[in-house]
Amino acid sequence: VQTTDATKHAEGKKLLEKAREVAPNEWRVVYNLALAYVRIGRDDRALELARELQARAPANEPMVAEARKLESNLLEKQKPA
């Protein structure tokens, strides 16, 4: 997800989707999947995942704060210039 290679972004997204199926409550996977969606231009799906993580994860889960920041950044990005 941290590369600039679009092919690797799509591949990473597929792997993260599979990881999520195996471990749906592994919040780092959900967060990284949201980031993968940002990389492939699907901010709408990334926002859904960030919100899902915040709603389902325990409040003390570190990824909740990261998902909150991601949601804020995505909403800011949607504002008209």
Side-chain angles (χ1 to χ4, degrees):
V1 173
Q2 294 179 355
T3 73
T4 57
D5 184 341
T7 304
K8 291 202 181 280
H9 296 159
E11 182 181 323
K13 182 192 76 70
K14 285 181 188 175
L15 291 172
L16 287 163
E17 289 281 9
K18 287 184 182 194
R20 185 172 184 222
E21 288 175 18
V22 174
N25 294 328
E26 178 52 53
W27 305 115
R28 187 168 300 278
V29 170
V30 177
Y31 177 73
N32 283 319
L33 181 57
L35 293 180
Y37 273 105
V38 169
R39 287 298 215 165
I40 63 170
R42 291 283 317 276
D43 290 0
D44 58 329
R45 182 67 179 126
L47 187 57
E48 287 175 18
L49 288 166
R51 288 176 171 164
E52 176 187 331
L53 193 158
Q54 292 174 74
R56 292 186 51 229
N60 63 346
E61 166 60 50
M63 290 295 100
V64 170
E66 295 302 317
R68 199 172 295 123
K69 285 187 234 174
L70 178 59
E71 178 185 19
S72 176
N73 290 339
L74 290 169
L75 291 173
E76 186 67 30
K77 190 175 170 183
Q78 290 178 352
K79 287 184 180 177

